[in-house]
Amino acid sequence: MNRALLLLSTAMLAGCSMAPKDVRPAAPVPPSWPTGDSYLRESEAGLPALNWRDVFRDARLQTLIAQALANNRDLRVAAANIAAARAQYQIQRGAQLPQVDANLGITERRGNGTNIGNGAIPGNGNTGGNTGGNVSGGGNVGGGLRTNYSTQLGITGFELDLFGRLASLTRAQQNSYFATEAGARATRLTLVGDIATAWLTYASDASLLEVAQQTAKSAEDSVRLTRARLEGGIAPRTDLRQAEQTLATAQNDVARQTAALAQDVNALRLLAGSEIDPALLPASIEQAAPSVAAVPAGLDSSILLRRPDVVQAEYQLRAANAQIGAARAALFPRISLTTVLGFASTALSSLFDGDAFTWQAGGNAAYSIFRGGAARANVRLTEAQQQAAVASYERAIQTAFRDVANALATRGTIDAQLRATQLQADAAADSYKLATARYRGGIDTFLQSLDAQRSLYTAQRQLVTVQLTAATNRVNLYRSLGGDSQLEATVQGPQAARGAGTPANPGG
């Protein structure tokens, strides 16, 4: 009865924890997105589940993203980091369980011819408090060989976790593991956004190359016409030189944009982690931009709690909280138990018989009387680290809120900017057409035609830039919101380690 009560009290003490209760700080951001002249009004609704296939609808871009998710080297590094963090968690968890060792030994000894009668030669050793056995025998050794067999099964290094020190360390390592997994999901989210941005950049550079080529062709016609007018005595040499300047500028842009396209392919190849099919590349920004859809409306700011970097910061906060419990428990004594069961005999056939069996059990309690205040200082250290983790968690939420707010600010005005730029480009094209006709009719000077051509070239390039900005804004909004359901579904690591009762979604 007394033994049962002792075991029950020991089990109850082993389940206690000195870690403070996990309390998530209130989100230091407004409950809804900003609204006003530069923001689109967003209705508040439940948290949606984003899906990159719903945002990036072009089949070619989807193929590139899937290729990158399978082959990107940064993701492979992240996967290795997850495996390492999982192993560290398992190592720490193993410290809570008894260590069981077994060994089998054989020893031969040559006698010196002494008659030892029927007495016993006891043998009892202790190596690290874990080994031992009795050696028995009798008779006249007579200078012959004496063989001793032994086997042992021992429980070593088992610490009674009365104050939850090992449990707190395990919980801290588990949350560090979850934080590593969340960081890997952030890498995936970034990769998807980078692939989409690089694909759109290629489309933009392809459009800029086409504009430069068209301008160069138009400039060649102007040079040819101006040279003919100069030779006919109608136009001055200055007109020819100005036309040649415009041609040289366009040719320079053609060469620069050609190099930019090659660099864009190199960037996509690096992100994808392998060679890419040229058929997956877009022909122009006009073709690529509409394929990037806007994220669904009706999002409130609590969706940011699903962002991978915010989830990572929360797990790091939980790990710091558990470290406080471990530091507090370290102020109390550590109690360790050892036991060993063994058999020893001079005859292999009688190894497991009768008196060959031996056993040994022991306990140890250790407590540091004086460490110069180091233990209490360690508690203060972990408390300070926990406060830093709280601030980091709040900063992660504030940063996420700022990213989304900036993306929404651009989204609220980019359509008006795009319409204005399109009107400007259309007007510049018509102006250039009229100026060229008036110059050829001898009504206007060549300078007016040349200015109209330059204005058209600038307007066309600006239109491409704004189209790229509008498309990448939708990519940035997707990336800022985070919480892609498909990216979360690809991560299975934490499910195997959530036996300690950690919720699957800390930010939900």
Side-chain angles (χ1 to χ4, degrees), residues 101-471:
D101 295 330
N103 64 71
L104 177 65
I106 178 172
T107 304
E108 289 189 352
R109 184 193 310 172
R110 180 176 296 276
N112 56 9
T114 303
N115 190 333
I116 60 176
N118 292 323
I121 302 177
N124 185 12
N126 189 338
T127 303
N130 306 319
T131 62
N134 292 329
V135 180
S136 62
N140 193 337
V141 177
L145 292 176
R146 183 183 181 90
T147 304
N148 180 65
Y149 302 92
S150 65
T151 182
Q152 292 178 347
L153 180 67
I155 299 176
T156 66
F158 177 44
E159 178 180 341
L160 289 179
D161 197 18
L162 299 180
F163 306 102
R165 186 183 71 88
L166 295 178
S168 293
L169 290 176
T170 300
R171 192 157 50 251
Q173 195 62 57
Q174 182 189 48
N175 283 289
S176 295
Y177 163 43
F178 293 159
T180 303
E181 181 275 324
R185 185 149 40 91
T187 302
R188 293 182 180 91
L189 182 68
T190 300
L191 176 63
V192 172
D194 288 346
I195 281 282
T197 300
W199 190 75
L200 292 170
T201 301
Y202 178 92
S204 172
D205 286 336
S207 294
L208 290 175
L209 176 60
E210 182 180 1
V211 170
Q213 289 173 337
Q214 292 176 351
T215 303
K217 184 178 182 303
S218 177
E220 288 175 355
D221 294 339
S222 296
V223 169
R224 189 180 305 108
L225 175 62
T226 306
R227 182 177 288 112
R229 292 171 65 87
L230 174 64
E231 293 173 353
I234 302 175
R237 183 176 296 274
T238 54
D239 288 356
L240 177 61
R241 293 307 182 193
Q242 289 174 339
E244 290 174 343
Q245 290 178 21
T246 302
L247 174 61
T249 300
Q251 290 174 337
N252 177 68
D253 288 343
V254 168
R256 183 162 53 85
Q257 292 303 140
T258 301
L261 279 180
Q263 293 169 352
D264 293 339
V265 172
N266 293 336
L268 282 169
R269 185 183 295 115
L270 176 62
L271 291 171
S274 60
E275 289 295 329
I276 60 175
D277 186 355
L280 300 177
L281 300 175
S284 65
I285 190 64
E286 293 82 6
Q287 177 193 88
S291 68
V292 181
V295 297
L299 310 180
D300 64 60
S301 59
S302 62
I303 191 178
L304 297 182
L305 297 177
R306 297 182 58 191
R307 246 176 65 142
D309 57 339
V310 175
V311 175
Q312 182 180 20
E314 181 171 343
Y315 276 132
Q316 290 170 343
L317 172 59
R318 293 186 179 191
N321 210 56
Q323 289 287 356
I324 295 178
R328 289 176 177 173
L331 297 174
F332 295 88
R334 299 183 186 179
I335 301 177
S336 300
L337 298 178
T338 59
T339 184
V340 61
L341 303 176
F343 297 85
S345 175
T346 57
L348 184 61
S349 60
S350 61
L351 182 62
F352 297 98
D353 292 341
D355 294 337
F357 175 76
T358 64
W359 65 272
Q360 178 180 320
N364 177 62
Y367 181 73
S368 297
I369 298 177
F370 179 74
R371 292 178 56 192
R376 295 188 181 278
N378 189 46
V379 174
R380 293 194 296 271
L381 171 63
T382 55
E383 289 175 344
Q385 291 172 336
Q386 190 261 1
Q387 292 301 315
V390 170
S392 297
Y393 175 73
E394 293 174 342
R395 182 182 61 186
I397 295 179
Q398 290 175 334
T399 300
F401 187 87
R402 181 209 57 188
D403 293 342
V404 176
N406 287 343
L408 289 175
T410 302
R411 180 182 171 186
T413 58
I414 193 63
D415 289 341
Q417 185 180 354
L418 186 59
R419 287 192 299 269
T421 307
Q422 183 66 62
L423 289 175
Q424 181 183 4
D426 293 342
D430 191 50
S431 177
Y432 173 65
K433 179 180 179 181
L434 294 174
T436 300
R438 291 172 64 86
Y439 168 68
R440 292 182 177 182
I443 300 175
D444 286 340
T445 63
F446 179 73
L447 180 60
Q448 291 175 310
S449 175
L450 187 62
D451 287 341
Q453 186 180 32
R454 291 172 178 170
S455 298
L456 174 61
Y457 186 43
T458 301
Q460 288 175 329
R461 290 178 61 87
Q462 186 176 359
L463 177 60
V464 171
T465 300
V466 175
Q467 288 174 327
L468 175 63
T469 300

Side-chain angles (χ1 to χ4, degrees), residues 1-11:
M1 181 65 179
N2 293 335
R3 180 177 297 178
L5 291 176
L6 177 61
L7 293 175
L8 179 60
S9 61
T10 301

